[in-house]
Amino acid sequence: MILHSLVFVFPWIAFSILADKRRIKQLFISGTFASLIALFVNLIEDTYNWWKFPKELNPHTDVTFFADIGLYPVQAMLLIQHLPKNRRLWVFYVLGLALFNTLGEYTLINLGEEIYLNGWNIYWTFVSYFVPFGLVCIHSIFYSSTTMQQ
């Protein structure tokens, strides 16, 4: 239950405090896109059984679902909000966020809260964060350019 709070309740509390209310529409669109990517990644994981949370009653819907609608969209929205104007620097922001999440998952592995299976490892975990957050940045560019044309 504590893990549920860490991946759902606390991120939304943080977002309500840190969000730029003037950009809320753009942020929610980016957050929704990030949530869809997270749901897709976890659907693939569910198919190949790459990781599990052994202490959960239903490991493929409990923690991952709450992270998909809590932690990942909030992180994506705050990422978009804090990206610098210089797009060349964006890769470093995405890299930092991917490393942060990978370290968090590495901590869960060491605490025995998560187990990797079927060839999954910490390197694939990093890729599974870096690519989706990169896609959120690309989506943000597309969204910004289409809203400016209207």
Side-chain angles (χ1 to χ4, degrees):
M1 194 61 162
I2 291 172
L3 203 50
H4 293 82
S5 296
L6 287 174
V7 299
F8 183 74
V9 175
F10 293 139
W12 281 110
I13 290 171
F15 180 75
S16 68
I17 295 167
L18 300 172
D20 180 356
K21 309 303 188 270
R22 296 167 295 165
R23 297 176 60 194
I24 204 77
K25 181 180 176 185
Q26 177 195 15
L27 296 177
F28 275 144
I29 289 171
S30 296
T32 302
F33 183 68
S35 187
L36 288 173
I37 292 172
L39 287 165
F40 180 71
V41 168
N42 285 323
L43 179 64
I44 292 171
E45 179 282 323
D46 219 14
T47 302
Y48 293 103
N49 196 31
W50 283 327
W51 66 83
K52 70 177 183 174
F53 296 93
K55 296 179 182 173
E56 293 293 326
L57 296 175
N58 189 354
H60 296 293
T61 57
D62 286 349
V63 174
T64 56
F65 176 71
F66 284 102
D68 292 347
I69 62 171
L71 181 65
Y72 303 132
V74 167
Q75 286 182 327
M77 290 185 285
L78 293 175
L79 170 68
I80 295 303
Q81 176 178 310
H82 294 291
L83 285 173
K85 294 198 184 297
N86 183 350
R87 290 185 181 164
R88 293 180 194 165
L89 298 176
W90 287 16
V91 71
F92 297 108
Y93 281 69
V94 173
L95 182 67
L97 188 54
L99 283 171
F100 175 77
N101 282 348
T102 302
L103 283 172
E105 206 161 303
Y106 184 74
T107 302
L108 289 176
I109 295 291
N110 286 330
L111 292 173
E113 296 290 330
E114 185 176 3
I115 298 171
Y116 288 160
L117 306 163
N118 299 326
W120 194 261
N121 57 47
I122 200 72
Y123 304 107
W124 284 117
T125 296
F126 173 79
V127 171
S128 77
Y129 287 122
F130 185 79
V131 171
F133 285 127
L135 289 173
V136 167
C137 287
I138 292 168
H139 175 267
S140 174
I141 293 168
F142 175 76
Y143 175 76
S144 295
S145 66
T146 57
T147 55
M148 288 180 176
Q149 292 173 359
Q150 294 177 355

